[in-house]
Amino acid sequence: MAKISRFNIAAVIFDKEGKVLLCKRSMKKKIAPGKWRLPGGRIEIGETPLEALKRELLEELSVEAVSISEMKFVYTYRVGEETHQTQYAQVVIKGDIRLNYENDDYEYVSKDNMARYVEDEHLLIQRKAIGW
């Protein structure tokens, strides 16, 4: 396996109906513009994954992470010439979602409707991360 050049964190957030939160990335993003993904982002140097997750949720969604599970799924993949790794954790949030510039939209999506939002090559990965 190649050396990992970027470490990321993603949040699995359920609503009261058991639907999961997906965010539509801004068209201005370098990686996956306009794609629906679980919220999260890069782990900065000196941050723990939990610190990064809390920061990303506050920055991107203006919500507070009240409870964070242990990392339950890790996915390593290529983006161009780089190798990235994303860790996923289930999160309970507090507050009303207000998006910043990094996402254009958000939706709570059921298991049955997820394929309408996430393209085939990422659908299985996202479902594994969610536990579906």
Side-chain angles (χ1 to χ4, degrees):
M1 175 63 72
K3 180 180 175 190
I4 296 171
S5 52
R6 180 173 166 161
F7 293 90
N8 303 300
I9 189 76
V12 176
I13 301 169
F14 292 102
D15 70 2
K16 292 175 183 168
E17 298 171 3
K19 296 178 181 177
V20 73
L21 178 67
L22 294 179
C23 295
K24 185 176 182 186
R25 294 172 57 85
S26 167
M27 291 303 291
K28 297 175 183 172
K29 295 295 284 182
K30 199 182 300 185
I31 298 172
K35 304 293 184 186
W36 289 89
R37 297 288 186 266
L38 296 168
R42 179 188 301 241
I43 300 171
E44 302 293 345
I45 294 172
E47 274 185 321
T48 68
L50 295 178
E51 291 168 339
L53 191 52
K54 288 178 182 179
R55 176 185 51 77
E56 287 288 346
L57 292 174
L58 190 58
E59 288 176 2
E60 292 184 15
L61 306 178
S62 299
V63 296
E64 181 183 342
V66 176
S67 171
I68 302 174
S69 72
E70 290 185 34
M71 302 305 146
K72 62 184 218 172
F73 182 73
V74 177
Y75 177 58
T76 304
Y77 52 100
R78 302 281 298 167
V79 176
E81 298 297 314
E82 296 182 338
T83 300
H84 292 205
Q85 184 178 81
T86 300
Q87 299 178 48
Y88 298 84
Q90 189 170 331
V91 181
V92 175
I93 59 171
K94 167 171 94 169
D96 296 324
I97 294 174
R98 291 186 320 276
L99 300 174
N100 74 357
Y101 66 92
E102 295 183 63
N103 293 295
D104 292 335
D105 200 2
Y106 74 93
E107 190 79 39
Y108 281 96
V109 178
S110 70
K111 181 178 181 178
D112 295 337
N113 288 328
M114 194 164 181
R116 294 182 186 168
Y117 292 83
V118 180
E119 65 277 10
D120 287 345
E121 64 267 22
H122 287 277
L123 188 58
L124 181 62
I125 295 153
Q126 300 253 339
R127 281 186 170 161
K128 282 185 178 181
I130 294 165
W132 285 345

